[in-house]
Amino acid sequence: MDAHRPIKDFEFKRMSPDGKTFWVRTSAFPMFDENGTFKGYRGSVLDIIELVLRRVEAEEANQALQKSETRFKSFAEFSTDRFWETDEDSKIVYISDPIPGKGQEDSEKMLGKNWWDFPAVDFADQKWLMVRMEIEARREVREFQFS
């Protein structure tokens, strides 16, 4: 402030006389007299407690999501089952290794492809045909098992 520059959207926490914490955002511009002498600031202060609370809630939700994803990946990586995820075009974007430390190269080769791009997958088999229809219809596939 000693430089007498404009202040734009400066956010800070304040304490009211009764001990309550509140957040504000302020913007101001310096005022000078005709001789160029600094006379003070003119600006505005906005109560942003709701915005700060939403930011905190969003950050907490994001942390919970990251924790959940980490737990899921840990579970998937140490399972003998395969877990997979596809994008909106049914392309594989994630697939767990069948055995930790083995099969990773095969998994990486599958990324970006559809299940039906693999010759080892027999879509003449009724189970696979049903899965493909569910995937193409954008419906959830649960508890599909094959050997």
Side-chain angles (χ1 to χ4, degrees):
M1 288 182 63
D2 291 339
H4 308 136
R5 293 189 188 132
I7 300 167
K8 177 91 170 120
D9 297 332
F10 179 66
E11 296 178 3
F12 56 100
K13 181 169 51 172
R14 302 288 294 175
M15 186 80 72
S16 67
D18 64 356
K20 284 183 158 180
T21 300
F22 62 100
W23 284 84
V24 295
R25 176 186 298 152
T26 188
S27 294
F29 61 92
M31 297 183 307
F32 301 93
D33 66 14
E34 60 278 350
N35 298 321
T37 304
F38 176 71
K39 299 308 255 178
Y41 278 95
R42 176 173 292 153
S44 62
V45 176
L46 178 64
D47 178 354
I48 59 167
I49 188 67
E50 292 299 321
L51 174 65
V52 171
L53 291 174
R54 282 195 302 269
R55 283 182 192 159
V56 169
E57 289 171 358
E59 180 60 30
E60 288 172 351
N62 188 40
Q63 288 174 358
L65 178 61
Q66 288 176 351
K67 185 177 179 181
S68 175
E69 286 179 353
T70 300
R71 227 178 17 249
F72 169 76
K73 281 193 172 188
S74 176
F75 175 73
E77 288 171 2
F78 291 102
S79 172
T80 56
D81 293 334
R82 282 200 134 166
F83 296 89
W84 48 272
E85 181 181 345
T86 59
D87 65 11
E88 64 276 359
D89 296 319
S90 303
K91 304 274 187 202
I92 298 167
V93 294
Y94 172 80
I95 187 161
S96 64
D97 290 335
I99 300 170
K102 296 184 180 181
Q104 183 174 1
E105 291 174 7
D106 290 337
S107 295
E108 289 174 359
K109 289 177 186 173
M110 298 172 92
L111 297 178
K113 296 184 173 122
N114 291 312
W115 282 109
W116 42 92
D117 292 337
F118 301 101
V121 177
D122 179 13
F123 278 98
D125 180 316
Q126 189 65 26
K127 288 191 303 186
W128 274 110
L129 185 59
M130 295 301 291
V131 167
R132 182 173 182 172
M133 289 171 54
E134 292 298 303
I135 290 170
E136 289 179 337
R138 307 232 187 287
R139 290 190 290 260
E140 188 174 298
V141 177
R142 290 185 155 267
E143 299 183 29
F144 173 65
Q145 298 179 15
F146 69 97
S147 51

